[in-house]
Amino acid sequence: MEIEKLKAIAKEMRVDIIRMLTEAGSGHPGGSLSCIDIIVTLFFSKLRYKPDDPNWADRDRFVLSKGHCVPALYAVLAKLGTLPHDELLSLRKLNSRMQGHPDRSRTPGIEASTGSLGQGLSVALGMAMAGKTMKKDYRVYCMISDGESQAGQVWEAAMAAPKFKLDNLCVLLDYNKIQLSGAVRDIMNLEPLAEKWRAFNWNVMEIDGHDFGAILKALNDAEKVKDKPTLILCHTIKGKGVSFMEGKWEWHGKSPNREEGERAVQEILARN
Amino acid sequence: MAGKATRTAFGETLARLGAENPRIVVLDADLSKSTMSDFFASKFPDRFFDMGIAEGNMVGAGAGMALAGMIPFICSFATFVVGRFEQIRMSVGYSRANVKIVGTHCGIGIGPDGYSQMALEDIALMRSLPNMAVVQPGDAIEAERAVEYIARHDGPVFLRLTRQNLNDVNPPDYKFEFGKGVVLRPGRDMTIMATGGVVGNALKAAALLAQKQVDAQVVNIHTIKPIDRDLIGRVAYSQGKILTVEDHGIVGGLGSAVAEVVAELGRGRVKRVAVEDYAESGDPDGLYKKYGLSEDNIAAKALELLHD
């Protein structure tokens, strides 16, 4: 039941992502489509969040460190009602709140301004530290990409979280294995990736990032871990849901034209 | 008189404010004994976080804490913390995070450690961010009052502090007014605008000038951003000639800030005294002489400007 609901929402979100990017004429479909199942599961089955009060002090926080994939987050915030749905098509346009990368001062529901890769996890870390210091029970989720894991600051934050025993921090790593100009293993290999995080003293889980049941279970399991932050290594497919985008680095940062967009939407709607 | 370093006044004041405001938290990058955030750490260990030698992460974590409602003071040597410019730009400035960036050991006044530890480009960088205030006290009293103000100020601030002890230039009942320059010595012929650790040198230079029948006004610019446009305008229209003095590189600091205002007014002249090279190790007085921040060089530059 729950899984069917999430599946249906994710499908709807994929359509919104493609429509937004087609209308915008630029943007990042590949990574938005690879992470959407995770974000949908988080927001619709887990996150303590009031759509009409996005600044509620006790909310769980979600920081999208891979900021270029913000269309996925806008789609979800619109579905929840934090953003009006008809605003989605103003993505990347002048005077729009739908900035090309997340801007927390302009857009309700955006927790941190990101888009310069490698920085969001530090901000999430600070939110988790503040939660512990103020003895609040909110949780902080942060989504990072594989490409951005090449940035040293990610590992500075990775080193710090276990020191402060941040069991209220959960990182979702969208491991779609492709970055802007090629395969991650060719640009700058991250492997052995799970072992790296384990060596940094994190609780590490490894799942299929398109399996809603597995995502939900991992999120639930992460909550039970004490005194340690959790990293969920989510194996995903770049461009997931649109056959001509799947696994293609060319679709990292290129928006579909009208014809491609329509083909993509029809395919998403036709798939189970 | 031995005087006191502005970093010490900062540390003592922050430890006092910590008792009054539970939202204040302090982050440091393994330099708490030098930045003097140690005073706070020993009184409030639960609100002090040593982030290790990882300043980029410290900037982001500070931003996250601010966005969650706390008032973080993030501390390191000014060159190391401001060196994480892009993190400050994104996670603090652009995110409108209420983070107080505290940079100690500014300028060549630190002496023997040499260029790598001397912040000489930090004002230029911080001044370029739209919502970032830049404050540099000229003595311990001013540092104390500035820290009290900054804790209340809503928005990001860069506070620039000295390693070396400074003699008082302000009276004990001094009141800090954000954004307002302070006339320390009135004078008719020209104005020396100074900031930070060299304000005392500017006053000494004015005394030297007095011996040569030049009556120089000395103004302490503790708030470099927002700069006191009214005061600069008054001086530009009345006296016309302004000499700026700072322990910072010659590009982008106080001198640039003053020159920008004067250029837009189309009235007055500005001459800048600042550091013009990568500097080096040495004793602070010797460095001030070699790089032009000693009182006799300031006086000489003032005369050049006056007679130009």
Side-chain angles (χ1 to χ4, degrees), chain A residues 186-214:
Chain A
D186 296 332
I187 306 290
M188 186 54 71
N189 188 24
L190 298 169
E191 291 294 343
L193 188 52
E195 282 84 340
K196 282 190 177 68
W197 286 90
R198 278 192 200 100
F200 275 71
N201 277 324
W202 286 59
N203 172 51
V204 176
M205 296 183 235
E206 209 163 342
I207 61 165
D208 172 352
H210 300 300
D211 177 341
F212 294 96

PDB file of all heavy atoms in Angstrom, chain A residues 186-214:
ATOM      1  N   ASP A 186      36.228   6.740 -13.777  1.00  0.00           N
ATOM      2  CA  ASP A 186      37.271   7.253 -14.675  1.00  0.00           C
ATOM      3  C   ASP A 186      37.724   8.663 -14.273  1.00  0.00           C
ATOM      4  O   ASP A 186      38.893   9.000 -14.400  1.00  0.00           O
ATOM      5  CB  ASP A 186      36.763   7.310 -16.121  1.00  0.00           C
ATOM      6  CG  ASP A 186      36.445   5.933 -16.663  1.00  0.00           C
ATOM      7  OD1 ASP A 186      37.081   4.955 -16.186  1.00  0.00           O
ATOM      8  OD2 ASP A 186      35.557   5.825 -17.527  1.00  0.00           O
ATOM      9  N   ILE A 187      36.775   9.500 -13.860  1.00  0.00           N
ATOM     10  CA  ILE A 187      37.123  10.887 -13.512  1.00  0.00           C
ATOM     11  C   ILE A 187      37.970  10.906 -12.242  1.00  0.00           C
ATOM     12  O   ILE A 187      39.046  11.509 -12.209  1.00  0.00           O
ATOM     13  CB  ILE A 187      35.853  11.739 -13.295  1.00  0.00           C
ATOM     14  CG1 ILE A 187      34.913  11.660 -14.497  1.00  0.00           C
ATOM     15  CG2 ILE A 187      36.221  13.187 -12.955  1.00  0.00           C
ATOM     16  CD1 ILE A 187      35.370  12.328 -15.752  1.00  0.00           C
ATOM     17  N   MET A 188      37.458  10.267 -11.185  1.00  0.00           N
ATOM     18  CA  MET A 188      38.203  10.137  -9.928  1.00  0.00           C
ATOM     19  C   MET A 188      37.516   9.070  -9.098  1.00  0.00           C
ATOM     20  O   MET A 188      36.514   9.330  -8.446  1.00  0.00           O
ATOM     21  CB  MET A 188      38.232  11.486  -9.171  1.00  0.00           C
ATOM     22  CG  MET A 188      39.105  11.500  -7.929  1.00  0.00           C
ATOM     23  SD  MET A 188      40.802  10.987  -8.182  1.00  0.00           S
ATOM     24  CE  MET A 188      41.446  12.390  -9.107  1.00  0.00           C
ATOM     25  N   ASN A 189      38.044   7.883  -9.167  1.00  0.00           N
ATOM     26  CA  ASN A 189      37.388   6.725  -8.565  1.00  0.00           C
ATOM     27  C   ASN A 189      37.200   6.895  -7.052  1.00  0.00           C
ATOM     28  O   ASN A 189      38.098   7.378  -6.364  1.00  0.00           O
ATOM     29  CB  ASN A 189      38.222   5.476  -8.860  1.00  0.00           C
ATOM     30  CG  ASN A 189      37.520   4.208  -8.453  1.00  0.00           C
ATOM     31  OD1 ASN A 189      36.295   4.168  -8.369  1.00  0.00           O
ATOM     32  ND2 ASN A 189      38.291   3.159  -8.193  1.00  0.00           N
ATOM     33  N   LEU A 190      36.027   6.496  -6.559  1.00  0.00           N
ATOM     34  CA  LEU A 190      35.724   6.622  -5.130  1.00  0.00           C
ATOM     35  C   LEU A 190      35.880   5.308  -4.379  1.00  0.00           C
ATOM     36  O   LEU A 190      35.896   5.285  -3.161  1.00  0.00           O
ATOM     37  CB  LEU A 190      34.277   7.106  -4.950  1.00  0.00           C
ATOM     38  CG  LEU A 190      33.928   8.474  -5.520  1.00  0.00           C
ATOM     39  CD1 LEU A 190      32.411   8.663  -5.504  1.00  0.00           C
ATOM     40  CD2 LEU A 190      34.607   9.580  -4.730  1.00  0.00           C
ATOM     41  N   GLU A 191      35.936   4.230  -5.120  1.00  0.00           N
ATOM     42  CA  GLU A 191      35.950   2.909  -4.476  1.00  0.00           C
ATOM     43  C   GLU A 191      37.260   2.652  -3.739  1.00  0.00           C
ATOM     44  O   GLU A 191      38.297   3.138  -4.160  1.00  0.00           O
ATOM     45  CB  GLU A 191      35.709   1.819  -5.520  1.00  0.00           C
ATOM     46  CG  GLU A 191      34.297   1.830  -6.086  1.00  0.00           C
ATOM     47  CD  GLU A 191      33.239   1.474  -5.045  1.00  0.00           C
ATOM     48  OE1 GLU A 191      33.597   0.904  -3.979  1.00  0.00           O
ATOM     49  OE2 GLU A 191      32.069   1.773  -5.289  1.00  0.00           O
ATOM     50  N   PRO A 192      37.184   1.898  -2.642  1.00  0.00           N
ATOM     51  CA  PRO A 192      35.986   1.293  -2.043  1.00  0.00           C
ATOM     52  C   PRO A 192      35.216   2.325  -1.203  1.00  0.00           C
ATOM     53  O   PRO A 192      35.732   2.780  -0.179  1.00  0.00           O
ATOM     54  CB  PRO A 192      36.557   0.182  -1.164  1.00  0.00           C
ATOM     55  CG  PRO A 192      37.958   0.623  -0.828  1.00  0.00           C
ATOM     56  CD  PRO A 192      38.420   1.557  -1.907  1.00  0.00           C
ATOM     57  N   LEU A 193      34.020   2.666  -1.636  1.00  0.00           N
ATOM     58  CA  LEU A 193      33.301   3.792  -1.053  1.00  0.00           C
ATOM     59  C   LEU A 193      32.658   3.473   0.301  1.00  0.00           C
ATOM     60  O   LEU A 193      32.814   4.228   1.259  1.00  0.00           O
ATOM     61  CB  LEU A 193      32.252   4.285  -2.059  1.00  0.00           C
ATOM     62  CG  LEU A 193      31.518   5.572  -1.713  1.00  0.00           C
ATOM     63  CD1 LEU A 193      32.482   6.695  -1.371  1.00  0.00           C
ATOM     64  CD2 LEU A 193      30.638   6.004  -2.896  1.00  0.00           C
ATOM     65  N   ALA A 194      31.953   2.351   0.378  1.00  0.00           N
ATOM     66  CA  ALA A 194      31.330   1.994   1.658  1.00  0.00           C
ATOM     67  C   ALA A 194      32.397   1.824   2.741  1.00  0.00           C
ATOM     68  O   ALA A 194      32.239   2.277   3.878  1.00  0.00           O
ATOM     69  CB  ALA A 194      30.515   0.716   1.505  1.00  0.00           C
ATOM     70  N   GLU A 195      33.514   1.220   2.345  1.00  0.00           N
ATOM     71  CA  GLU A 195      34.607   1.003   3.308  1.00  0.00           C
ATOM     72  C   GLU A 195      35.170   2.325   3.812  1.00  0.00           C
ATOM     73  O   GLU A 195      35.587   2.437   4.956  1.00  0.00           O
ATOM     74  CB  GLU A 195      35.728   0.172   2.668  1.00  0.00           C
ATOM     75  CG  GLU A 195      35.439  -1.327   2.577  1.00  0.00           C
ATOM     76  CD  GLU A 195      34.616  -1.692   1.342  1.00  0.00           C
ATOM     77  OE1 GLU A 195      33.956  -0.802   0.762  1.00  0.00           O
ATOM     78  OE2 GLU A 195      34.623  -2.868   0.971  1.00  0.00           O
ATOM     79  N   LYS A 196      35.215   3.311   2.919  1.00  0.00           N
ATOM     80  CA  LYS A 196      35.728   4.625   3.354  1.00  0.00           C
ATOM     81  C   LYS A 196      34.861   5.173   4.478  1.00  0.00           C
ATOM     82  O   LYS A 196      35.360   5.641   5.490  1.00  0.00           O
ATOM     83  CB  LYS A 196      35.733   5.608   2.177  1.00  0.00           C
ATOM     84  CG  LYS A 196      36.880   5.434   1.205  1.00  0.00           C
ATOM     85  CD  LYS A 196      36.933   6.608   0.232  1.00  0.00           C
ATOM     86  CE  LYS A 196      38.114   6.514  -0.724  1.00  0.00           C
ATOM     87  NZ  LYS A 196      38.044   5.409  -1.696  1.00  0.00           N
ATOM     88  N   TRP A 197      33.548   5.135   4.276  1.00  0.00           N
ATOM     89  CA  TRP A 197      32.653   5.692   5.306  1.00  0.00           C
ATOM     90  C   TRP A 197      32.724   4.862   6.578  1.00  0.00           C
ATOM     91  O   TRP A 197      32.674   5.414   7.679  1.00  0.00           O
ATOM     92  CB  TRP A 197      31.216   5.776   4.765  1.00  0.00           C
ATOM     93  CG  TRP A 197      31.059   6.891   3.774  1.00  0.00           C
ATOM     94  CD1 TRP A 197      31.235   6.831   2.428  1.00  0.00           C
ATOM     95  CD2 TRP A 197      30.746   8.269   4.071  1.00  0.00           C
ATOM     96  NE1 TRP A 197      31.036   8.072   1.862  1.00  0.00           N
ATOM     97  CE2 TRP A 197      30.728   8.971   2.839  1.00  0.00           C
ATOM     98  CE3 TRP A 197      30.461   8.974   5.247  1.00  0.00           C
ATOM     99  CZ2 TRP A 197      30.449  10.347   2.751  1.00  0.00           C
ATOM    100  CZ3 TRP A 197      30.174  10.336   5.166  1.00  0.00           C
ATOM    101  CH2 TRP A 197      30.178  11.006   3.931  1.00  0.00           C
ATOM    102  N   ARG A 198      32.850   3.542   6.437  1.00  0.00           N
ATOM    103  CA  ARG A 198      32.986   2.705   7.638  1.00  0.00           C
ATOM    104  C   ARG A 198      34.267   3.064   8.379  1.00  0.00           C
ATOM    105  O   ARG A 198      34.284   3.161   9.597  1.00  0.00           O
ATOM    106  CB  ARG A 198      33.014   1.216   7.255  1.00  0.00           C
ATOM    107  CG  ARG A 198      31.639   0.654   7.045  1.00  0.00           C
ATOM    108  CD  ARG A 198      31.611  -0.878   6.961  1.00  0.00           C
ATOM    109  NE  ARG A 198      30.357  -1.253   6.303  1.00  0.00           N
ATOM    110  CZ  ARG A 198      30.262  -1.581   5.020  1.00  0.00           C
ATOM    111  NH1 ARG A 198      31.332  -1.654   4.255  1.00  0.00           N
ATOM    112  NH2 ARG A 198      29.083  -1.869   4.505  1.00  0.00           N
ATOM    113  N   ALA A 199      35.320   3.316   7.613  1.00  0.00           N
ATOM    114  CA  ALA A 199      36.602   3.667   8.236  1.00  0.00           C
ATOM    115  C   ALA A 199      36.501   5.007   8.974  1.00  0.00           C
ATOM    116  O   ALA A 199      37.247   5.272   9.913  1.00  0.00           O
ATOM    117  CB  ALA A 199      37.698   3.732   7.172  1.00  0.00           C
ATOM    118  N   PHE A 200      35.566   5.851   8.531  1.00  0.00           N
ATOM    119  CA  PHE A 200      35.348   7.137   9.207  1.00  0.00           C
ATOM    120  C   PHE A 200      34.371   6.988  10.385  1.00  0.00           C
ATOM    121  O   PHE A 200      33.917   7.981  10.943  1.00  0.00           O
ATOM    122  CB  PHE A 200      34.800   8.172   8.199  1.00  0.00           C
ATOM    123  CG  PHE A 200      35.876   8.863   7.406  1.00  0.00           C
ATOM    124  CD1 PHE A 200      36.598   8.189   6.425  1.00  0.00           C
ATOM    125  CD2 PHE A 200      36.180  10.200   7.627  1.00  0.00           C
ATOM    126  CE1 PHE A 200      37.592   8.822   5.693  1.00  0.00           C
ATOM    127  CE2 PHE A 200      37.175  10.845   6.886  1.00  0.00           C
ATOM    128  CZ  PHE A 200      37.877  10.150   5.914  1.00  0.00           C
ATOM    129  N   ASN A 201      34.047   5.742  10.724  1.00  0.00           N
ATOM    130  CA  ASN A 201      33.210   5.440  11.888  1.00  0.00           C
ATOM    131  C   ASN A 201      31.730   5.745  11.716  1.00  0.00           C
ATOM    132  O   ASN A 201      31.050   6.114  12.682  1.00  0.00           O
ATOM    133  CB  ASN A 201      33.728   6.149  13.144  1.00  0.00           C
ATOM    134  CG  ASN A 201      34.843   5.367  13.782  1.00  0.00           C
ATOM    135  OD1 ASN A 201      34.818   4.130  13.787  1.00  0.00           O
ATOM    136  ND2 ASN A 201      35.838   6.065  14.286  1.00  0.00           N
ATOM    137  N   TRP A 202      31.246   5.600  10.511  1.00  0.00           N
ATOM    138  CA  TRP A 202      29.811   5.767  10.270  1.00  0.00           C
ATOM    139  C   TRP A 202      29.123   4.408  10.256  1.00  0.00           C
ATOM    140  O   TRP A 202      29.734   3.388   9.924  1.00  0.00           O
ATOM    141  CB  TRP A 202      29.565   6.453   8.919  1.00  0.00           C
ATOM    142  CG  TRP A 202      29.872   7.913   8.917  1.00  0.00           C
ATOM    143  CD1 TRP A 202      31.070   8.504   9.203  1.00  0.00           C
ATOM    144  CD2 TRP A 202      28.961   8.974   8.623  1.00  0.00           C
ATOM    145  NE1 TRP A 202      30.961   9.879   9.103  1.00  0.00           N
ATOM    146  CE2 TRP A 202      29.671  10.198   8.748  1.00  0.00           C
ATOM    147  CE3 TRP A 202      27.612   9.033   8.269  1.00  0.00           C
ATOM    148  CZ2 TRP A 202      29.079  11.443   8.526  1.00  0.00           C
ATOM    149  CZ3 TRP A 202      27.018  10.272   8.040  1.00  0.00           C
ATOM    150  CH2 TRP A 202      27.749  11.468   8.177  1.00  0.00           C
ATOM    151  N   ASN A 203      27.844   4.408  10.594  1.00  0.00           N
ATOM    152  CA  ASN A 203      27.003   3.256  10.356  1.00  0.00           C
ATOM    153  C   ASN A 203      26.652   3.288   8.869  1.00  0.00           C
ATOM    154  O   ASN A 203      26.081   4.262   8.393  1.00  0.00           O
ATOM    155  CB  ASN A 203      25.735   3.368  11.223  1.00  0.00           C
ATOM    156  CG  ASN A 203      24.731   2.305  10.885  1.00  0.00           C
ATOM    157  OD1 ASN A 203      25.059   1.123  10.829  1.00  0.00           O
ATOM    158  ND2 ASN A 203      23.499   2.726  10.628  1.00  0.00           N
ATOM    159  N   VAL A 204      27.032   2.245   8.143  1.00  0.00           N
ATOM    160  CA  VAL A 204      26.867   2.267   6.686  1.00  0.00           C
ATOM    161  C   VAL A 204      25.881   1.188   6.228  1.00  0.00           C
ATOM    162  O   VAL A 204      25.959   0.040   6.663  1.00  0.00           O
ATOM    163  CB  VAL A 204      28.231   2.064   5.978  1.00  0.00           C
ATOM    164  CG1 VAL A 204      28.044   1.992   4.467  1.00  0.00           C
ATOM    165  CG2 VAL A 204      29.184   3.185   6.354  1.00  0.00           C
ATOM    166  N   MET A 205      24.936   1.582   5.395  1.00  0.00           N
ATOM    167  CA  MET A 205      24.017   0.632   4.775  1.00  0.00           C
ATOM    168  C   MET A 205      24.133   0.794   3.260  1.00  0.00           C
ATOM    169  O   MET A 205      24.453   1.879   2.784  1.00  0.00           O
ATOM    170  CB  MET A 205      22.582   0.916   5.181  1.00  0.00           C
ATOM    171  CG  MET A 205      22.319   0.727   6.655  1.00  0.00           C
ATOM    172  SD  MET A 205      20.562   1.010   6.955  1.00  0.00           S
ATOM    173  CE  MET A 205      20.641   2.253   8.201  1.00  0.00           C
ATOM    174  N   GLU A 206      23.873  -0.276   2.535  1.00  0.00           N
ATOM    175  CA  GLU A 206      23.988  -0.228   1.086  1.00  0.00           C
ATOM    176  C   GLU A 206      22.699  -0.782   0.498  1.00  0.00           C
ATOM    177  O   GLU A 206      22.312  -1.912   0.808  1.00  0.00           O
ATOM    178  CB  GLU A 206      25.206  -1.078   0.667  1.00  0.00           C
ATOM    179  CG  GLU A 206      25.856  -0.605  -0.585  1.00  0.00           C
ATOM    180  CD  GLU A 206      27.269  -1.165  -0.781  1.00  0.00           C
ATOM    181  OE1 GLU A 206      27.872  -1.646   0.192  1.00  0.00           O
ATOM    182  OE2 GLU A 206      27.745  -1.108  -1.918  1.00  0.00           O
ATOM    183  N   ILE A 207      22.036   0.014  -0.330  1.00  0.00           N
ATOM    184  CA  ILE A 207      20.721  -0.411  -0.847  1.00  0.00           C
ATOM    185  C   ILE A 207      20.575  -0.069  -2.330  1.00  0.00           C
ATOM    186  O   ILE A 207      21.365   0.689  -2.884  1.00  0.00           O
ATOM    187  CB  ILE A 207      19.559   0.270  -0.079  1.00  0.00           C
ATOM    188  CG1 ILE A 207      19.641   1.798  -0.229  1.00  0.00           C
ATOM    189  CG2 ILE A 207      19.534  -0.146   1.376  1.00  0.00           C
ATOM    190  CD1 ILE A 207      18.368   2.525   0.162  1.00  0.00           C
ATOM    191  N   ASP A 208      19.499  -0.598  -2.907  1.00  0.00           N
ATOM    192  CA  ASP A 208      19.076  -0.197  -4.248  1.00  0.00           C
ATOM    193  C   ASP A 208      18.233   1.065  -4.082  1.00  0.00           C
ATOM    194  O   ASP A 208      17.163   1.029  -3.476  1.00  0.00           O
ATOM    195  CB  ASP A 208      18.251  -1.348  -4.871  1.00  0.00           C
ATOM    196  CG  ASP A 208      17.593  -0.958  -6.202  1.00  0.00           C
ATOM    197  OD1 ASP A 208      17.640   0.251  -6.577  1.00  0.00           O
ATOM    198  OD2 ASP A 208      17.020  -1.848  -6.847  1.00  0.00           O
ATOM    199  N   GLY A 209      18.723   2.166  -4.605  1.00  0.00           N
ATOM    200  CA  GLY A 209      18.066   3.453  -4.418  1.00  0.00           C
ATOM    201  C   GLY A 209      16.797   3.646  -5.219  1.00  0.00           C
ATOM    202  O   GLY A 209      16.235   4.755  -5.219  1.00  0.00           O
ATOM    203  N   HIS A 210      16.352   2.614  -5.899  1.00  0.00           N
ATOM    204  CA  HIS A 210      15.057   2.689  -6.591  1.00  0.00           C
ATOM    205  C   HIS A 210      14.061   1.685  -6.002  1.00  0.00           C
ATOM    206  O   HIS A 210      12.970   1.524  -6.521  1.00  0.00           O
ATOM    207  CB  HIS A 210      15.235   2.442  -8.097  1.00  0.00           C
ATOM    208  CG  HIS A 210      16.148   3.451  -8.741  1.00  0.00           C
ATOM    209  ND1 HIS A 210      15.891   4.809  -8.731  1.00  0.00           N
ATOM    210  CD2 HIS A 210      17.345   3.311  -9.371  1.00  0.00           C
ATOM    211  CE1 HIS A 210      16.865   5.455  -9.336  1.00  0.00           C
ATOM    212  NE2 HIS A 210      17.769   4.565  -9.735  1.00  0.00           N
ATOM    213  N   ASP A 211      14.458   1.018  -4.932  1.00  0.00           N
ATOM    214  CA  ASP A 211      13.594   0.038  -4.257  1.00  0.00           C
ATOM    215  C   ASP A 211      12.975   0.727  -3.035  1.00  0.00           C
ATOM    216  O   ASP A 211      13.635   0.899  -2.006  1.00  0.00           O
ATOM    217  CB  ASP A 211      14.453  -1.180  -3.854  1.00  0.00           C
ATOM    218  CG  ASP A 211      13.659  -2.231  -3.089  1.00  0.00           C
ATOM    219  OD1 ASP A 211      12.573  -1.896  -2.543  1.00  0.00           O
ATOM    220  OD2 ASP A 211      14.131  -3.378  -3.028  1.00  0.00           O
ATOM    221  N   PHE A 212      11.700   1.138  -3.195  1.00  0.00           N
ATOM    222  CA  PHE A 212      11.066   1.938  -2.140  1.00  0.00           C
ATOM    223  C   PHE A 212      11.064   1.229  -0.793  1.00  0.00           C
ATOM    224  O   PHE A 212      11.256   1.848   0.245  1.00  0.00           O
ATOM    225  CB  PHE A 212       9.634   2.312  -2.558  1.00  0.00           C
ATOM    226  CG  PHE A 212       9.586   3.226  -3.747  1.00  0.00           C
ATOM    227  CD1 PHE A 212       9.398   2.723  -5.027  1.00  0.00           C
ATOM    228  CD2 PHE A 212       9.757   4.588  -3.586  1.00  0.00           C
ATOM    229  CE1 PHE A 212       9.361   3.554  -6.128  1.00  0.00           C
ATOM    230  CE2 PHE A 212       9.723   5.441  -4.692  1.00  0.00           C
ATOM    231  CZ  PHE A 212       9.530   4.924  -5.964  1.00  0.00           C
ATOM    232  N   GLY A 213      10.829  -0.084  -0.827  1.00  0.00           N
ATOM    233  CA  GLY A 213      10.816  -0.853   0.417  1.00  0.00           C
ATOM    234  C   GLY A 213      12.181  -0.791   1.097  1.00  0.00           C
ATOM    235  O   GLY A 213      12.274  -0.602   2.321  1.00  0.00           O
ATOM    236  N   ALA A 214      13.229  -0.918   0.291  1.00  0.00           N
ATOM    237  CA  ALA A 214      14.588  -0.913   0.848  1.00  0.00           C
ATOM    238  C   ALA A 214      14.950   0.479   1.398  1.00  0.00           C
ATOM    239  O   ALA A 214      15.591   0.594   2.444  1.00  0.00           O
ATOM    240  CB  ALA A 214      15.586  -1.327  -0.229  1.00  0.00           C
TER     241      ALA A 214
END
